[in-house]
C-alpha cells in the first residue's frame, strides 16, 4: 500500500470559490467537488497536514494577465460581491491557509512555494476547478519546481467533461499520480 507522509505533503485546492463554482462543472457537480474537498481537508487537518485554499481575485483587473489571445479573456472586473470568496462549506473549516492568485497558476506571483518549502513539503495533493485551467497550470508549475504530486481526480471539474478527461488522462499521469480522494485519504 502507498503511504503519504502528511508532514511533507500539502493539500492544495484551486478556486473553490463562489463565483467559479456557480458555473457548470463536469464530470462532477460543484456540490460533489465541495463535499469531497471538505472530506479531504478534514482528513488532512486531523493528521496535522497543511491545507491551502487558493482563490483568484483582483481589485480592478489591472493586476491580472491581459495578453492578446484568440479566445476572449474572462472579464476581470464587474463581478458580484463575494464572487472571490471561498465557498462557506470550506472557508469555515479551521486550520487552512487561504492564498490569493491573480492568474491561472497558484505559484507564479504568490508565496505558495515559500510556504511549502518552509514547512519541508515536497509533495502536493491537488484538486479544484477548473481541471484544464487553474489546476493544470498549478500542476505544471509544481512539476517544474520539483514537487511530487497526487491529483484528487474526483475533487476536480471543468466546463465540460472532455477538457477534464483530456488533462486527467494525458497530462496528469506524466507529472504525478492520479487517484480518487478516497484512495488519497487511505494513504494518509
Amino acid at each position: 500500500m502507498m503511504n503519504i507522509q502528511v508532514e511533507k505533503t500539502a493539500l492544495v485546492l484551486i478556486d473553490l470559490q463562489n463565483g467559479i463554482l456557480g458555473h457548470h462543472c463536469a464530470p462532477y457537480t460543484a456540490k460533489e467537488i465541495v463535499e469531497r474537498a471538505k472530506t479531504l481537508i478534514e482528513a488532512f487537518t486531523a493528521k496535522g497536514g497543511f491545507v491551502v485554499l487558493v482563490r483568484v481575485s483582483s481589485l480592478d483587473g489591472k493586476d491580472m494577465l491581459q495578453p492578446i489571445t484568440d479566445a476572449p479573456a474572462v472579464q476581470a472586473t464587474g463581478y458580484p460581491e463575494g464572487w472571490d470568496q471561498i465557498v462557506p462549506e470550506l472557508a469555515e473549516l479551521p486550520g487552512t491557509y487561504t492564498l490569493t492568485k491573480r492568474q491561472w497558476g497558484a505559484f507564479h506571483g504568490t508565496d505558495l512555494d515559500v510556504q511549502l518549502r518552509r514547512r519541508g513539503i515536497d509533495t502536493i495533493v491537488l484538486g479544484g476547478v477548473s481541471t484544464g485551467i487553474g489546476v493544470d497550470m498549478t500542476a505544471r508549475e509544481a512539476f517544474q519546481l520539483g514537487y511530487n504530486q497526487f491529483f484528487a481526480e474526483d475533487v476536480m471539474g471543468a466546463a465540460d467533461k472532455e477538457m477534464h478527461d483530456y488533462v486527467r488522462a494525458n497530462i496528469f499521469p506524466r507529472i504525478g499520480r492520479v487517484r480518487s480522494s478516497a484512495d488519497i485519504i487511505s494513504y494518509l
Side-chain angles (χ1 to χ4, degrees), residues 95-180:
T96 62
Y97 176 72
T98 300
L99 177 113
T100 301
K101 64 184 176 87
R102 309 285 184 213
Q103 59 280 323
W104 289 1
F107 282 94
H108 182 75
T110 73
D111 71 343
L112 181 56
D113 188 46
V114 169
Q115 292 294 333
L116 299 178
R117 293 195 192 279
R118 286 184 179 168
R119 289 172 170 80
I121 291 169
D122 63 13
T123 303
I124 63 172
V125 172
L126 196 55
V129 176
S130 170
T131 309
I133 300 176
V135 180
D136 183 24
M137 182 65 77
T138 299
R140 290 174 192 237
E141 291 172 337
F143 174 73
Q144 292 183 91
L145 291 168
Y147 288 96
N148 298 308
Q149 297 182 85
F150 286 90
F151 301 101
E153 186 274 336
D154 59 348
V155 185
M156 295 182 197
D160 57 61
K161 183 179 181 316
E162 292 76 24
M163 179 184 281
H164 172 86
D165 288 346
Y166 178 83
V167 175
R168 178 194 44 79
N170 296 290
I171 304 300
F172 292 161
R174 294 174 183 254
I175 60 177
R177 297 178 226 173
V178 181
R179 302 292 190 271
S180 71

Side-chain angles (χ1 to χ4, degrees), residues 16-38:
L16 298 181
Q17 62 193 67
N18 294 325
I20 292 179
L21 287 176
H23 300 285
H24 174 74
C25 287
Y28 307 106
T29 66
K31 182 180 179 190
E32 291 171 320
I33 292 166
V34 170
E35 286 172 358
R36 290 183 190 123
K38 183 176 181 183

